[in-house]
Amino acid sequence: ARYMAGGRRDKPVRQRFTDPSHYKFDWNDYEVFQEHAAYNPPSTSVIMVLICGLSLVGLLFYLLALLDRHVCIGLRYIPLIAVVAVLVHIVKDLWAKSKWGCHQSSRRGIDLVQRQGFRIVRSEQVKDLKNLEYRFKGEPKVIVAVSGNGGGGHEATQRGLKELLVEIDFPCVIYELPLAWMIETNWQNPLKQLFGVTGEQLYNWGLRHGAFVAWFISNFCAWGQFFGLNIDVHVTGRFGDLVGIDYGDVVGKLCSRIWRYYEPDLILDFTQGTSIPVYSGLKRAGMQHIPVVKIVSDFEGRGAHMWIEDVKQYIVCGTSKCRQEALDFGIPQRQVHQASGMILRPGFYEATSQQKQQSSRSRQDHLKELGLDPTRRTGLVCW
């Protein structure tokens, strides 16, 4: 937990949430995981996961062939259909979409009006934000930030927003909640227990091994997360509620204990695919009135990663396409907010000490020193 405000300090800062009776996780382990292990998983463990996964798929195909021979003719063609579907998906995602996107961007150009872009002066924006404090009299607000380490974008976005809150001296207390790590390192998670890796580590490993491997691993993780959470919440959880026993919806119950502990005024969700347990936990805790703000750190909200999942969400979009997807999904317009792009840390805008010492030099001189042509506009692509 970090205190993120100046002035009023009458709000006690709680210790990090622990759940020894249900989940066994060590926050010291998380510091190590976040610093190194999340982005450098052992390749042997990842390859073992992939081999086991493909072996299970092969076993399923074999069982279908047996059923085709003895029970129902035609089942043997299901694997062939699945392979064709995967190939079509690969061509569509890895080639057609990228080619079409490049064509559309080149043809349309950077038209800020058509793309609903913004021409803003950051200093003016920060000044306006600093004047908002009069709306929040009383105790500092409690914010729980649901973060993740899959790909790095979630953490970078969260860090940028936190630094901005410090810059504008916003009165709040922020508690970081690495929900994916808490779930995946639990003793009930077979992936961690059998292979020693988490879904986030699989995803990060895939990103470092080429476009196809990244696509395959990301889809593997996304479908696993989708089916796992839905079965946990909507199948086993509802069965347990129906028969009146404490069974299923493990993640939703974890979230409910977290919300009761922190008693947040706002939940900031920087991850995708987590709305199911977040809202399940709010319902179990009787805290449905708490707003959940999803900050999308992708260009799309309903593309490869499902950010837009519930009509109760507030959505912060960085692109006009993501905004339109949120509206098409059925989220009310008053809950959809478009920013001028992805969230960046304030440090991106600050001059270095060397630049401050050489403030007398012109912009053209600085560009020439970097080997750039001062007469041409340069675009910087960060990944």
Side-chain angles (χ1 to χ4, degrees):
R2 287 187 188 171
Y3 190 81
M4 304 287 294
R8 300 186 297 272
R9 295 183 178 272
D10 51 350
K11 190 77 172 182
V13 178
R14 294 178 179 271
Q15 298 296 320
R16 276 180 161 175
F17 172 80
T18 56
D19 199 15
S21 60
H22 297 87
Y23 273 60
K24 297 179 181 180
F25 47 79
D26 188 338
W27 287 109
N28 293 324
D29 292 342
Y30 176 68
E31 301 295 340
V32 177
F33 177 84
Q34 186 181 37
E35 191 70 25
H36 179 76
Y39 304 101
N40 299 277
S43 295
T44 52
S45 298
V46 175
I47 293 172
M48 286 297 297
V49 172
L50 296 178
I51 291 174
C52 290
L54 293 174
S55 299
L56 289 175
V57 172
L59 178 61
L60 176 62
F61 288 175
Y62 175 72
L63 291 176
L64 288 173
L66 290 179
L67 291 174
D68 175 87
R69 186 182 307 167
H70 300 290
V71 180
C72 180
I73 298 175
L75 292 178
R76 71 175 68 181
Y77 297 110
I78 292 179
L80 180 61
I81 296 173
V83 171
V84 172
V86 169
L87 292 176
V88 171
H89 203 41
I90 291 173
V91 173
K92 176 175 68 72
D93 282 359
L94 296 184
W95 185 78
K97 275 189 176 181
S98 60
K99 292 293 184 182
W100 177 251
C102 292
H103 167 71
Q104 287 289 86
S105 300
S106 302
R107 180 181 63 81
R108 185 170 55 201
I110 304 180
D111 185 343
L112 294 177
V113 176
Q114 182 176 351
R115 296 165 69 110
Q116 299 184 26
F118 297 83
R119 295 184 183 275
I120 62 172
V121 179
R122 186 178 185 277
S123 57
E124 296 177 0
Q125 297 273 307
V126 172
K127 182 179 178 181
D128 291 340
L129 289 172
K130 287 183 177 180
N131 293 330
L132 287 177
E133 187 175 347
Y134 73 92
R135 300 183 184 179
F136 306 100
K137 296 180 180 179
E139 293 183 339
K141 299 300 176 182
V142 176
I143 300 175
V144 173
V146 180
S147 60
N149 296 283
H154 317 287
E155 178 64 23
T157 304
Q158 175 184 291
R159 189 165 60 248
L161 183 57
K162 285 168 56 181
E163 291 182 12
L164 176 63
L165 292 174
V166 172
E167 184 179 5
I168 66 175
D169 199 22
F170 187 81
C172 65
V173 181
I174 290 188
Y175 297 98
E176 298 177 26
L177 185 69
L179 187 59
W181 173 81
M182 296 169 72
I183 297 170
E184 294 180 345
T185 55
N186 181 45
W187 65 271
Q188 295 176 330
N189 181 15
L191 183 65
K192 177 67 174 177
Q193 297 301 317
L194 294 175
F195 303 101
V197 294
T198 66
E200 290 181 321
Q201 289 177 302
L202 286 176
Y203 181 77
N204 292 333
W205 184 89
L207 293 179
R208 299 173 62 178
H209 290 79
F212 174 75
V213 176
W215 174 87
F216 180 82
I217 293 288
S218 63
N219 277 273
F220 179 82
C221 294
W223 283 108
Q225 180 188 43
F226 175 79
F227 283 113
L229 291 178
N230 272 281
I231 291 172
D232 178 44
V233 175
H234 297 305
V235 179
T236 59
R238 289 186 178 179
F239 173 77
D241 294 340
L242 186 65
V243 299
I245 60 175
D246 185 16
Y247 181 72
D249 196 9
V250 177
V251 184
K253 293 172 184 175
L254 168 66
C255 287
S256 69
R257 294 191 292 271
I258 295 172
W259 308 146
R260 292 193 188 101
Y261 178 77
Y262 286 125
E263 299 180 342
D265 298 297
L266 174 70
I267 297 173
L268 285 178
D269 193 352
F270 295 88
T271 62
Q272 55 85 25
T274 52
S275 295
I276 295 173
V278 166
Y279 280 107
S280 175
L282 288 173
K283 182 178 180 180
R284 288 183 177 276
M287 305 168 76
Q288 295 98 318
H289 62 282
I290 297 175
V292 179
V293 179
K294 178 82 75 171
I295 300 182
V296 182
S297 56
D298 278 333
F299 288 173
E300 299 179 356
R302 296 287 296 178
H305 303 293
M306 295 299 180
W307 294 88
I308 303 169
E309 303 174 278
D310 198 293
V311 294
K312 298 187 291 295
Q313 292 175 318
Y314 288 79
I315 303 290
V316 178
C317 309
T319 65
S320 56
K321 181 173 183 179
C322 181
R323 175 180 178 274
Q324 190 58 49
E325 288 174 338
L327 295 175
D328 293 342
F329 185 77
I331 297 178
Q333 187 170 353
R334 63 182 179 84
Q335 296 173 208
V336 181
H337 305 276
Q338 184 181 345
S340 58
M342 302 295 106
I343 295 177
L344 298 177
R345 293 185 293 107
F348 272 87
Y349 304 94
E350 297 175 357
T352 63
S353 57
Q354 183 180 7
Q355 289 172 333
K356 293 176 181 178
Q357 294 173 0
Q358 300 175 351
S359 57
S360 59
R361 299 179 61 190
S362 67
R363 179 183 179 87
Q364 286 74 17
D365 292 336
H366 284 294
L367 291 172
K368 289 179 180 178
E369 186 178 308
L370 294 172
L372 300 174
D373 185 351
T375 62
R376 301 181 63 185
R377 176 171 292 181
T378 301
L380 180 63
V381 180
C382 299
W383 175 253

